[in-house]
Amino acid sequence: MKFKKLGTVVALVVSAVVLTACGTNDKEKFIKDSAILAKSSTQKFNFKTDDLKVIASGDAEAYAPIINGYLSSIKLSGKSLTDGKNAQVNMDISLAGQEIPLEIVTKDTNAYLKLETLKPILDIYLQSSGDDLSSKGLDMTKIKGKYLDLNAISEENGQETEAVSSLDAEASKKALDKAYNSLDKTDFSKEGSAITMTLSGDQLAKFVKAYLSELPKKSRESFDDLLKDKDFEKTLPEVIKALTITVDSKNKTSNVVLKFTGKEVQGYGLGGKLSYNVTYSNEKVSVTIPSKGNLIKSTSELSELISNSSQFN
């Protein structure tokens, strides 16, 4: 199984659990509280990778310390907003001392990335591109207000991203309800106002497969190879040790921890853990969707815009 595919699947399922639900025992309360938190207009989040380690052998072993150095330096935090119709995510990524802000707005299943926020990355690329002329970066008067149409771009690069982005909340909720049937009440525990779902790697594999099997055809097709993979329920537990998700509707928080086994699969593996913490609140929110004239819908159009916006000494 490819790690890219595994990462996409697990991220999809974790997002579904945290952001959608239906809805007494602890299992039912966990589902109900998830739904309450998901309706919040504002969600402040923090993603931690400092406890994550890459394990490798053979030719890849020499690169593990370099990769782990980058992983330990990654900091990601931000805020997601929704006005009930549209949504916006603002995040700050810190990588090896470089600060990168990002802004994405969504309407229904469409997602748009604000190009202005990519300026630090694009400037570095232009300055190190090896051209005869030294670049001074981008002329922001030409790029200001422009957004990258992520769905349109994904169509140029395969259907997996587009199929996932086309999954609406109701379809995800329906699939998730079916997947919960594979879990027992003993997989949930309560401490104070917090309810925690704890799944081993084996349980998570069954949960993921149950969820994907119930997706609409358009979304499910991207994962047909995984659904037909007889080794999936064996391979995932070799990579992931456990998943815990804690929701607390009283304190308006949720916490996701994904623990890895540290075992090598096909020459490399992951050890340690990832964590994702969210604090929820309700504030007055207004999200503006970019006009069609400000959308960049192809990589060639993006390249032309960057070229025309480049400044040289």
Side-chain angles (χ1 to χ4, degrees):
M1 182 199 312
K2 296 182 179 180
F3 275 82
K4 179 181 177 182
K5 174 74 74 173
L6 176 61
T8 300
V9 171
V10 173
L12 177 66
V13 174
V14 169
S15 297
V17 173
V18 173
L19 299 177
T20 65
C22 66
T24 170
N25 56 40
D26 293 341
K27 177 179 177 180
E28 292 172 347
K29 182 167 175 52
F30 175 90
I31 297 171
K32 181 179 179 181
D33 287 357
S34 296
I36 293 172
L37 294 177
K39 293 177 181 178
S40 303
S41 66
T42 304
Q43 302 180 15
K44 295 181 180 179
F45 58 85
N46 182 47
F47 184 77
K48 293 183 61 178
T49 64
D50 52 336
D51 292 320
L52 182 65
K53 304 293 181 184
V54 170
I55 295 100
S57 60
D59 294 338
E61 186 174 6
Y63 298 99
I66 300 173
I67 297 172
N68 288 329
Y70 276 108
L71 286 175
S72 64
S73 72
I74 294 176
K75 296 180 181 179
L76 190 157
S77 60
K79 178 189 295 187
S80 65
L81 312 167
T82 179
D83 57 13
K85 294 181 180 180
N86 306 319
Q88 177 177 322
V89 177
N90 297 87
M91 68 179 74
D92 293 303
I93 302 172
S94 177
L95 176 61
Q98 178 68 45
E99 299 294 329
I100 305 169
L102 292 178
E103 179 181 315
I104 299 174
V105 294
T106 61
K107 179 179 178 62
D108 299 323
T109 58
N110 299 306
Y112 311 104
L113 173 62
K114 191 174 185 179
L115 287 179
E116 289 174 57
T117 61
L118 293 180
K119 186 178 187 299
I121 300 175
L122 296 174
D123 282 346
I124 291 173
Y125 168 75
L126 290 171
Q127 292 164 10
S128 60
S129 60
D131 293 335
D132 292 335
L133 296 174
S134 177
S135 172
K136 295 190 297 183
L138 295 177
D139 178 0
M140 295 308 296
T141 60
K142 296 181 180 180
I143 202 172
K144 189 175 179 64
K146 300 293 184 181
Y147 286 76
L148 195 62
D149 187 328
L150 297 180
N151 287 37
I153 296 298
S154 71
E155 291 178 357
E156 291 186 342
N157 300 284
Q159 297 181 350
E160 180 175 311
T161 302
E162 191 277 332
V164 173
S165 65
S166 69
L167 179 62
D168 61 38
E170 186 60 32
S172 178
K173 175 183 177 301
K174 183 178 180 181
L176 190 60
D177 289 345
K178 292 287 186 179
Y180 275 129
N181 291 334
S182 67
L183 304 181
D184 189 79
K185 289 187 291 186
T186 57
D187 298 324
F188 299 81
S189 60
K190 181 179 180 182
E191 183 174 349
S193 56
I195 306 292
T196 299
M197 177 180 75
T198 303
L199 303 180
S200 66
D202 292 306
Q203 290 172 305
L204 180 59
K206 292 182 174 63
F207 187 80
V208 167
K209 211 155 190 178
Y211 174 80
L212 295 179
S213 298
E214 293 297 328
L215 291 178
K217 183 179 180 181
K218 184 177 181 181
S219 297
R220 190 175 63 247
E221 284 176 348
S222 293
F223 304 102
D224 272 352
D225 57 337
L226 185 149
L227 289 169
K228 295 175 182 177
D229 184 359
K230 296 180 180 179
D231 294 327
F232 170 73
E233 293 187 24
K234 175 183 177 182
T235 305
L236 188 143
E238 291 179 346
V239 178
I240 296 177
K241 182 178 181 179
L243 167 70
T244 63
I245 300 179
T246 301
V247 296
D248 189 330
S249 61
K250 180 180 178 180
N251 294 306
K252 297 184 177 181
T253 61
S254 68
N255 174 251
V256 178
V257 177
L258 195 60
K259 296 181 180 179
F260 297 90
T261 62
K263 296 179 181 178
E264 291 185 21
V265 178
Q266 298 177 351
Y268 59 95
L270 293 172
K273 65 182 180 181
L274 292 174
S275 62
Y276 179 71
N277 306 306
V278 184
T279 301
Y280 304 82
S281 61
N282 284 299
E283 304 169 8
K284 187 175 181 180
V285 171
S286 178
V287 178
T288 302
I289 300 299
S291 63
K292 291 182 179 180
N294 284 326
L295 296 180
I296 305 300
K297 291 181 169 290
S298 68
T299 52
S300 60
E301 190 179 356
L302 175 62
S303 297
E304 183 179 358
L305 176 64
I306 293 174
S307 178
N308 292 337
S309 302
S310 300
Q311 303 178 99
F312 297 98
N313 294 326

